[in-house]
Amino acid sequence: MSSHEHKKILVVFGATGLQGGSIVNEVLGDPKASSQFSIRGVTRDPTKPAAKALTAKGVECVAADFDEKASLRRALQGAYAAYAVTNFWEKFSAEVEVQQGKNVADVAKEVGLQHLIWSSLPNVTKLSGGVLSKVAHFDSKANVEAYIRSTGVPATFFMPGFYMSNIPGKSFGPDQENGTYRLALAMPANSPIPLFDAGSDTGKFVKAILLNRENCLGKNILGATDYYTPEQIVEQFKEVKPKAGEGATFAELPPQVFKGFLAQQGMPEPVQEEMLQNMQLMPRFGYYGGASLKESHELVGSGLTTWKDFILRATVWMELD
């Protein structure tokens, strides 16, 4: 009998992506989790180098497409648990993403999956009482969550926070005129942002969910290290990188200026409005509606990536003093 045969199969969709890759590494690197689960990694093309690297680690790589139930059946057949994350931005369509999520839920019910972990997000339209009704990439994942709950599939809903990787070199970089570092966001300086290192910490949360199934069924697990304000993000950058951070500031961008920057990057108007409302969510209603991170932290224990940890590891800032 091979070591795989007495283990439960964990299916990880998007196994070569940021969230999926983190789960694969965390489960394989943990003696308790790796003794209980073998991993079946789902990717578009198992022949690509990233997939082959997973195969070399002992991951069974299979191809599947969220749009094709037959391929999802093959991916989930015989599995005990699955982590599913869809990519709204691939087709810019809430309708497509909701259908993809429903396909996963339907097939999970069909094959008798014991634990579906869905990468979800808050329903911003509901959370804001209809004030912010254009954050489609949040609402679509929330609508899938509601559907999963209606099917009765045993499930937990993981809610990733604001990616730390969206900050270095993107919203936070040197000013073109004087070279001093500036963080520019469409929100006030004291807005609470739940920062999350998807590449390192998704796996820590998901592993804890897998190992504490009974306590986590039906729950929303909030994926963030802490709430940081833009002011704190800048101040901690100055502490970790004192030379580069000298004179670093935060600038609150007016809505039209923020949308103008996005337009320069080729984003159409509906996406500009969506991203603006996504920013406005944090100061006005709270990313998670103001919820505490305490329960999620108690589940994971210690070891989550802080903003200071991330500054030290960020590739674009590696050479800075």
Side-chain angles (χ1 to χ4, degrees), residues 77-94:
Q77 201 64 51
Y80 175 85
Y83 181 83
V85 55
T86 46
N87 181 7
F88 171 89
W89 302 109
E90 189 176 47
K91 295 183 179 169
F92 283 101
S93 166

PDB file of all heavy atoms in Angstrom, residues 77-94:
ATOM      1  N   GLN A  77     -13.428  13.759  -8.292  1.00  0.00           N
ATOM      2  CA  GLN A  77     -13.796  12.355  -8.041  1.00  0.00           C
ATOM      3  C   GLN A  77     -12.895  11.742  -6.960  1.00  0.00           C
ATOM      4  O   GLN A  77     -11.678  11.813  -7.040  1.00  0.00           O
ATOM      5  CB  GLN A  77     -13.665  11.527  -9.334  1.00  0.00           C
ATOM      6  CG  GLN A  77     -14.481  10.247  -9.323  1.00  0.00           C
ATOM      7  CD  GLN A  77     -15.985  10.497  -9.241  1.00  0.00           C
ATOM      8  OE1 GLN A  77     -16.532  11.275 -10.005  1.00  0.00           O
ATOM      9  NE2 GLN A  77     -16.652   9.859  -8.305  1.00  0.00           N
ATOM     10  N   GLY A  78     -13.517  11.191  -5.928  1.00  0.00           N
ATOM     11  CA  GLY A  78     -12.757  10.506  -4.879  1.00  0.00           C
ATOM     12  C   GLY A  78     -12.081  11.429  -3.880  1.00  0.00           C
ATOM     13  O   GLY A  78     -11.384  10.966  -2.970  1.00  0.00           O
ATOM     14  N   ALA A  79     -12.275  12.730  -4.034  1.00  0.00           N
ATOM     15  CA  ALA A  79     -11.612  13.688  -3.134  1.00  0.00           C
ATOM     16  C   ALA A  79     -12.402  13.870  -1.845  1.00  0.00           C
ATOM     17  O   ALA A  79     -13.621  13.679  -1.798  1.00  0.00           O
ATOM     18  CB  ALA A  79     -11.443  15.036  -3.831  1.00  0.00           C
ATOM     19  N   TYR A  80     -11.697  14.259  -0.796  1.00  0.00           N
ATOM     20  CA  TYR A  80     -12.310  14.533   0.500  1.00  0.00           C
ATOM     21  C   TYR A  80     -12.587  16.034   0.654  1.00  0.00           C
ATOM     22  O   TYR A  80     -13.634  16.442   1.142  1.00  0.00           O
ATOM     23  CB  TYR A  80     -11.367  14.067   1.618  1.00  0.00           C
ATOM     24  CG  TYR A  80     -11.859  14.407   3.005  1.00  0.00           C
ATOM     25  CD1 TYR A  80     -12.761  13.581   3.673  1.00  0.00           C
ATOM     26  CD2 TYR A  80     -11.414  15.566   3.664  1.00  0.00           C
ATOM     27  CE1 TYR A  80     -13.220  13.896   4.947  1.00  0.00           C
ATOM     28  CE2 TYR A  80     -11.863  15.887   4.932  1.00  0.00           C
ATOM     29  CZ  TYR A  80     -12.767  15.051   5.569  1.00  0.00           C
ATOM     30  OH  TYR A  80     -13.225  15.363   6.821  1.00  0.00           O
ATOM     31  N   ALA A  81     -11.598  16.859   0.241  1.00  0.00           N
ATOM     32  CA  ALA A  81     -11.718  18.314   0.412  1.00  0.00           C
ATOM     33  C   ALA A  81     -11.231  19.021  -0.850  1.00  0.00           C
ATOM     34  O   ALA A  81     -10.495  18.445  -1.657  1.00  0.00           O
ATOM     35  CB  ALA A  81     -10.905  18.777   1.619  1.00  0.00           C
ATOM     36  N   ALA A  82     -11.659  20.265  -1.003  1.00  0.00           N
ATOM     37  CA  ALA A  82     -11.191  21.051  -2.158  1.00  0.00           C
ATOM     38  C   ALA A  82     -11.144  22.524  -1.794  1.00  0.00           C
ATOM     39  O   ALA A  82     -11.981  23.021  -1.026  1.00  0.00           O
ATOM     40  CB  ALA A  82     -12.115  20.853  -3.356  1.00  0.00           C
ATOM     41  N   TYR A  83     -10.150  23.200  -2.353  1.00  0.00           N
ATOM     42  CA  TYR A  83     -10.062  24.660  -2.246  1.00  0.00           C
ATOM     43  C   TYR A  83     -10.295  25.226  -3.631  1.00  0.00           C
ATOM     44  O   TYR A  83      -9.592  24.871  -4.586  1.00  0.00           O
ATOM     45  CB  TYR A  83      -8.683  25.102  -1.750  1.00  0.00           C
ATOM     46  CG  TYR A  83      -8.568  26.607  -1.615  1.00  0.00           C
ATOM     47  CD1 TYR A  83      -9.035  27.256  -0.482  1.00  0.00           C
ATOM     48  CD2 TYR A  83      -8.009  27.384  -2.637  1.00  0.00           C
ATOM     49  CE1 TYR A  83      -8.956  28.642  -0.356  1.00  0.00           C
ATOM     50  CE2 TYR A  83      -7.927  28.767  -2.515  1.00  0.00           C
ATOM     51  CZ  TYR A  83      -8.407  29.384  -1.374  1.00  0.00           C
ATOM     52  OH  TYR A  83      -8.331  30.754  -1.256  1.00  0.00           O
ATOM     53  N   ALA A  84     -11.285  26.108  -3.756  1.00  0.00           N
ATOM     54  CA  ALA A  84     -11.630  26.655  -5.077  1.00  0.00           C
ATOM     55  C   ALA A  84     -11.562  28.173  -5.070  1.00  0.00           C
ATOM     56  O   ALA A  84     -12.155  28.836  -4.223  1.00  0.00           O
ATOM     57  CB  ALA A  84     -13.023  26.193  -5.492  1.00  0.00           C
ATOM     58  N   VAL A  85     -10.822  28.711  -6.038  1.00  0.00           N
ATOM     59  CA  VAL A  85     -10.760  30.156  -6.240  1.00  0.00           C
ATOM     60  C   VAL A  85     -10.916  30.421  -7.733  1.00  0.00           C
ATOM     61  O   VAL A  85     -10.289  29.765  -8.561  1.00  0.00           O
ATOM     62  CB  VAL A  85      -9.440  30.759  -5.694  1.00  0.00           C
ATOM     63  CG1 VAL A  85      -8.208  30.082  -6.297  1.00  0.00           C
ATOM     64  CG2 VAL A  85      -9.384  32.276  -5.924  1.00  0.00           C
ATOM     65  N   THR A  86     -11.799  31.349  -8.070  1.00  0.00           N
ATOM     66  CA  THR A  86     -12.030  31.712  -9.478  1.00  0.00           C
ATOM     67  C   THR A  86     -11.404  33.076  -9.751  1.00  0.00           C
ATOM     68  O   THR A  86     -11.113  33.832  -8.827  1.00  0.00           O
ATOM     69  CB  THR A  86     -13.540  31.769  -9.784  1.00  0.00           C
ATOM     70  OG1 THR A  86     -14.197  32.498  -8.736  1.00  0.00           O
ATOM     71  CG2 THR A  86     -14.141  30.379  -9.869  1.00  0.00           C
ATOM     72  N   ASN A  87     -11.217  33.381 -11.019  1.00  0.00           N
ATOM     73  CA  ASN A  87     -10.578  34.643 -11.411  1.00  0.00           C
ATOM     74  C   ASN A  87     -11.555  35.519 -12.192  1.00  0.00           C
ATOM     75  O   ASN A  87     -11.716  35.359 -13.402  1.00  0.00           O
ATOM     76  CB  ASN A  87      -9.325  34.352 -12.244  1.00  0.00           C
ATOM     77  CG  ASN A  87      -8.597  35.617 -12.652  1.00  0.00           C
ATOM     78  OD1 ASN A  87      -8.944  36.715 -12.213  1.00  0.00           O
ATOM     79  ND2 ASN A  87      -7.600  35.488 -13.485  1.00  0.00           N
ATOM     80  N   PHE A  88     -12.178  36.443 -11.497  1.00  0.00           N
ATOM     81  CA  PHE A  88     -13.144  37.360 -12.115  1.00  0.00           C
ATOM     82  C   PHE A  88     -12.511  38.113 -13.281  1.00  0.00           C
ATOM     83  O   PHE A  88     -13.133  38.321 -14.326  1.00  0.00           O
ATOM     84  CB  PHE A  88     -13.642  38.359 -11.053  1.00  0.00           C
ATOM     85  CG  PHE A  88     -14.470  39.492 -11.602  1.00  0.00           C
ATOM     86  CD1 PHE A  88     -15.842  39.365 -11.727  1.00  0.00           C
ATOM     87  CD2 PHE A  88     -13.879  40.695 -11.994  1.00  0.00           C
ATOM     88  CE1 PHE A  88     -16.613  40.408 -12.224  1.00  0.00           C
ATOM     89  CE2 PHE A  88     -14.630  41.745 -12.494  1.00  0.00           C
ATOM     90  CZ  PHE A  88     -16.003  41.595 -12.608  1.00  0.00           C
ATOM     91  N   TRP A  89     -11.254  38.530 -13.109  1.00  0.00           N
ATOM     92  CA  TRP A  89     -10.617  39.440 -14.066  1.00  0.00           C
ATOM     93  C   TRP A  89     -10.292  38.773 -15.396  1.00  0.00           C
ATOM     94  O   TRP A  89     -10.035  39.454 -16.381  1.00  0.00           O
ATOM     95  CB  TRP A  89      -9.357  40.040 -13.445  1.00  0.00           C
ATOM     96  CG  TRP A  89      -9.687  40.756 -12.184  1.00  0.00           C
ATOM     97  CD1 TRP A  89      -9.386  40.370 -10.911  1.00  0.00           C
ATOM     98  CD2 TRP A  89     -10.447  41.962 -12.051  1.00  0.00           C
ATOM     99  NE1 TRP A  89      -9.896  41.268 -10.004  1.00  0.00           N
ATOM    100  CE2 TRP A  89     -10.544  42.247 -10.673  1.00  0.00           C
ATOM    101  CE3 TRP A  89     -11.038  42.834 -12.975  1.00  0.00           C
ATOM    102  CZ2 TRP A  89     -11.221  43.372 -10.186  1.00  0.00           C
ATOM    103  CZ3 TRP A  89     -11.708  43.946 -12.496  1.00  0.00           C
ATOM    104  CH2 TRP A  89     -11.796  44.210 -11.119  1.00  0.00           C
ATOM    105  N   GLU A  90     -10.324  37.441 -15.407  1.00  0.00           N
ATOM    106  CA  GLU A  90     -10.017  36.746 -16.659  1.00  0.00           C
ATOM    107  C   GLU A  90     -11.033  37.087 -17.753  1.00  0.00           C
ATOM    108  O   GLU A  90     -10.689  37.292 -18.909  1.00  0.00           O
ATOM    109  CB  GLU A  90     -10.006  35.236 -16.406  1.00  0.00           C
ATOM    110  CG  GLU A  90      -9.500  34.445 -17.567  1.00  0.00           C
ATOM    111  CD  GLU A  90      -9.413  32.974 -17.225  1.00  0.00           C
ATOM    112  OE1 GLU A  90     -10.374  32.417 -16.654  1.00  0.00           O
ATOM    113  OE2 GLU A  90      -8.386  32.385 -17.546  1.00  0.00           O
ATOM    114  N   LYS A  91     -12.306  37.162 -17.361  1.00  0.00           N
ATOM    115  CA  LYS A  91     -13.344  37.451 -18.356  1.00  0.00           C
ATOM    116  C   LYS A  91     -14.158  38.692 -18.016  1.00  0.00           C
ATOM    117  O   LYS A  91     -15.124  39.016 -18.697  1.00  0.00           O
ATOM    118  CB  LYS A  91     -14.263  36.234 -18.512  1.00  0.00           C
ATOM    119  CG  LYS A  91     -13.494  35.030 -19.085  1.00  0.00           C
ATOM    120  CD  LYS A  91     -14.358  33.827 -19.331  1.00  0.00           C
ATOM    121  CE  LYS A  91     -13.522  32.686 -19.913  1.00  0.00           C
ATOM    122  NZ  LYS A  91     -14.233  31.412 -19.945  1.00  0.00           N
ATOM    123  N   PHE A  92     -13.775  39.401 -16.936  1.00  0.00           N
ATOM    124  CA  PHE A  92     -14.481  40.625 -16.523  1.00  0.00           C
ATOM    125  C   PHE A  92     -15.990  40.413 -16.453  1.00  0.00           C
ATOM    126  O   PHE A  92     -16.760  41.268 -16.849  1.00  0.00           O
ATOM    127  CB  PHE A  92     -14.186  41.782 -17.494  1.00  0.00           C
ATOM    128  CG  PHE A  92     -12.837  42.408 -17.313  1.00  0.00           C
ATOM    129  CD1 PHE A  92     -11.794  42.095 -18.155  1.00  0.00           C
ATOM    130  CD2 PHE A  92     -12.606  43.311 -16.278  1.00  0.00           C
ATOM    131  CE1 PHE A  92     -10.536  42.672 -17.988  1.00  0.00           C
ATOM    132  CE2 PHE A  92     -11.349  43.895 -16.103  1.00  0.00           C
ATOM    133  CZ  PHE A  92     -10.315  43.569 -16.958  1.00  0.00           C
ATOM    134  N   SER A  93     -16.395  39.270 -15.937  1.00  0.00           N
ATOM    135  CA  SER A  93     -17.829  38.974 -15.951  1.00  0.00           C
ATOM    136  C   SER A  93     -18.270  38.303 -14.656  1.00  0.00           C
ATOM    137  O   SER A  93     -17.830  37.199 -14.338  1.00  0.00           O
ATOM    138  CB  SER A  93     -18.164  38.056 -17.136  1.00  0.00           C
ATOM    139  OG  SER A  93     -19.453  37.514 -16.989  1.00  0.00           O
ATOM    140  N   ALA A  94     -19.150  39.005 -13.927  1.00  0.00           N
ATOM    141  CA  ALA A  94     -19.710  38.428 -12.704  1.00  0.00           C
ATOM    142  C   ALA A  94     -20.561  37.211 -13.043  1.00  0.00           C
ATOM    143  O   ALA A  94     -20.557  36.208 -12.327  1.00  0.00           O
ATOM    144  CB  ALA A  94     -20.554  39.475 -11.972  1.00  0.00           C
TER     145      ALA A  94
END
